[in-house]
Amino acid sequence: MQENIKKILVVGGGTAGWMTAAALSKIIDKRFCAIQLIESDDIGSVGVGEATIPIIQMFNKLLDLDEDEFVRKTQGTFKLGIEFVNWTNIGQKYIHAFGEVGKDMEAVQFYHYWLKMAQLGKAEDLRQYSIAGVAAEQGKFMRPFDAGNSPLSNIAYAFHFDAGLYARFLKEFATTRGVQRTEGKIAATDVDSSTGFIKSVRMESGETVEADFFIDCSGFRGLLIEEALHTGYEDWSHWLPCDRAWAVPCENTSDPTPYTRSTAHSAGWQWRIPLQHRVGNGHVFSSKFMSEDEARSILLNNLDGKPLAEPRLLKFVTGKRKKIWNKNCLAIGLSSGFMEPLESTSIHLIQSSIGRLMSFFPNKSFDQADIDEFNRQADFEVEKIRDFLILHYHATERNDSEFWNYCRTMSIPPELKQKIEQFQKNGRIFRNSNEMFSDLSWLEVMYGQGIRPRGYHPLVDRMPEEEIMKRLDSVRRVIDKSVDYMPTHAQFIAENCKAEKVY
Ligand SMILES: Cc1cc2nc3c(=O)[nH]c(=O)nc-3n(C[C@H](O)[C@H](O)[C@H](O)COP(=O)(O)OP(=O)(O)OC[C@H]3O[C@@H](n4cnc5c(N)ncnc54)[C@H](O)[C@@H]3O)c2cc1C
């Protein structure tokens, strides 16, 4: 008879801990398996992580959340993509917009037709063929609805939210479904010397908390996965050299934009995340190329409005834990590794670890083959995201600082090199298995970063140029008309999910 897990201990109450506890509480009946979460108010959480990608809607569906209530309670706004400013060269910008670009024609992807016309100098900017791109530019937003073939049926979006309020929202969700919350500091971890499995954690208060399965959501330090189990860390900072971020909220001075902005500076970049009650900002930079003081003053000089707090410095090493599941401990969130927030992927990685955990949910024997497969899948996912992030730094024309010279000329992972070369040759982009970013995301960023293919799909030439132009123009007209129909982002929020005013 197999012996089931009777007790799960989640260590940490940041975004990772509460997302995990909320999802487990929804799926697992507490009579079957008890769930406890320990967090320390003294230590607190990282308090950043406010931009997401569309797949978070699946997480909300899993929890059966009312989306309007969720947005209201987290001072949230909607996100249609990320605008990248000064990444290719100073003064240039592009958008990585969510969702579809154009409409595929006669079994060939739309973007190949667009590529041909762009090479002939006849096509508009790529953003003009994406409903999310045009809506973002015009500050419009609405949720998709059943509008037949119209692009209004297909608006992909994500959220911006206040990280502290999000954790509070999920805490309420999880604790009302039976998750036991314990406040206090863990002082030590007891590991069984014969098996290497974690037996319990000891609180500063002297209390011992036992469990069968431990989920380490303790943040960068990896209290269980690293400090207790010494799992090891793979460092990727030679490819992603930023290792610090100053973060500061500031006053809103205008209606919130329905997109995140990422502005490149001379040794990193700055995020701008508009919420209902404030704007979240941060300057991610490399301490090898810029001092902390200089990075701080660049951030403060580039805010929309008055700062609402003192800037906070966060330090990190880009990379991943060698095994995110080790023995009876699974690391979720920052304890599993970290890649900078350039494409808002960390919260997604929390979500996907939770989803993967559901597929590989263990019993007390902790089958090693299952754990190995879990780790293999997790590694694959994170390495593909890593390559996508490296692309932003490497494919640049900037030569105005040591930092950009380093990034532009550094050697890159072979698979990424091959992907870029393939695109340069004939415009083809292959999605590797179920890697997270779609071919359209790769297209928008590769093209946006200045990579220009020499060719396009040969079957495009079956269609006369005038016919292609007619169809491209028609796509644009339909998108423009659809965006005309949409309310502004501010109107949409006011009518559906206005949060309480914060003074
Ligand atoms: C600069 C920056 C910007 C980011 N921006 C984004 C973004 O835009 N989008 C995105 O998806 N992600 C972003 N992230 C990542 C995101 O913030 C994290 O993935 C997310 O917040 C999860 O953090 P966490 O819960 O793993 O860790 P934390 O928030 O650090 O939580 C750790 C928890 O463990 C507890 N703990 C630690 N030690 C002990 C102990 N000894 N005893 C008891 N409790 C303990 C703490 O009290 C806390 O509750 C960003 C990260 C950084 C650093």
Side-chain angles (χ1 to χ4, degrees), residues 239-368:
W239 286 316
L240 294 166
C242 291
D243 59 354
R244 303 270 191 284
W246 282 106
V248 72
C250 76
E251 278 179 349
N252 260 328
T253 55
S254 56
D255 287 342
T257 51
Y259 57 88
T260 308
R261 181 176 298 133
S262 159
T263 306
H265 293 310
S266 60
W269 61 279
Q270 178 169 339
W271 78 75
R272 176 186 176 279
I273 300 178
L275 304 176
Q276 292 193 40
H277 61 326
R278 60 167 169 80
V279 178
N281 309 276
H283 183 187
V284 178
F285 65 101
S286 169
S287 62
K288 263 199 213 142
F289 295 93
M290 184 176 277
S291 72
E292 289 173 2
D293 287 349
E294 189 182 356
R296 186 179 187 275
S297 79
I298 289 175
L299 175 65
L300 291 173
N301 287 333
N302 285 283
L303 300 178
D304 289 8
K306 217 171 81 194
L308 296 171
E310 271 300 303
R312 274 192 317 128
L313 182 67
L314 298 147
K315 298 183 181 180
F316 53 84
V317 179
T318 302
K320 71 162 186 75
R321 208 61 66 192
K322 285 190 175 148
K323 295 177 198 161
I324 76 164
W325 187 337
N326 191 4
K327 309 280 183 186
N328 60 341
C329 172
L330 171 61
I332 297 186
L334 298 173
S335 61
S336 70
F338 180 62
M339 283 184 290
E340 52 177 284
L342 190 52
E343 286 281 354
S344 322
T345 42
S346 293
I347 293 172
H348 163 70
L349 286 169
I350 296 171
Q351 177 183 342
S352 87
S353 288
I354 295 168
R356 198 168 287 122
L357 169 61
M358 291 309 145
S359 307
F360 288 87
F361 199 83
N363 59 40
K364 277 195 187 169
S365 69
F366 287 94
D367 185 81
Q368 191 57 44

Side-chain angles (χ1 to χ4, degrees), residues 50-52 56-57 60 67-72 74-81 98 136 139-144 155-161 256-260 273-276 486 488-498:
E50 311 203 309
T52 59
I56 194 172
Q57 287 176 42
N60 291 351
E67 197 175 278
D68 285 338
E69 189 199 352
F70 155 70
V71 171
R72 207 177 294 122
T74 60
Q75 295 281 345
T77 62
F78 296 89
K79 172 178 171 187
L80 293 165
F98 299 140
K140 300 280 195 85
F141 179 77
M142 75 190 300
R143 295 193 182 102
I155 304 166
Y157 65 94
F159 309 94
H160 302 122
F161 49 63
T257 51
Y259 57 88
T260 308
I273 300 178
L275 304 176
Q276 292 193 40
M486 294 166 75
T488 66
H489 184 218
Q491 259 169 341
F492 184 87
I493 290 173
E495 282 162 21
N496 296 282
C497 40
K498 185 96 190 118

Side-chain angles (χ1 to χ4, degrees), residues 12-16 40 43-46 48-49 51 184 186 217-218 334 338 341 346-347:
T15 303
S40 157
I43 295 175
S45 65
V46 73
V48 282
I186 295 172
C217 299
S218 63
L334 298 173
F338 180 62
S346 293
I347 293 172

Side-chain angles (χ1 to χ4, degrees), residues 351-420:
Q351 177 183 342
S352 87
S353 288
I354 295 168
R356 198 168 287 122
L357 169 61
M358 291 309 145
S359 307
F360 288 87
F361 199 83
N363 59 40
K364 277 195 187 169
S365 69
F366 287 94
D367 185 81
Q368 191 57 44
D370 282 355
I371 295 175
D372 290 346
E373 179 56 21
F374 182 105
N375 285 332
R376 192 196 63 74
Q377 291 185 13
D379 284 353
F380 175 85
E381 180 173 36
V382 87
E383 282 166 16
K384 298 298 151 254
I385 294 174
R386 174 201 70 194
D387 287 1
F388 190 58
L389 300 188
I390 296 171
L391 169 70
H392 297 64
Y393 285 98
H394 181 64
T396 181
E397 291 159 16
R398 283 190 69 157
N399 58 5
D400 54 293
S401 69
E402 282 305 302
F403 173 82
W404 289 109
N405 286 341
Y406 172 80
C407 294
R408 205 186 59 254
T409 55
M410 69 185 168
S411 70
I412 56 174
E415 264 190 47
L416 173 60
K417 191 161 181 276
Q418 195 190 355
K419 206 155 192 152
I420 295 174

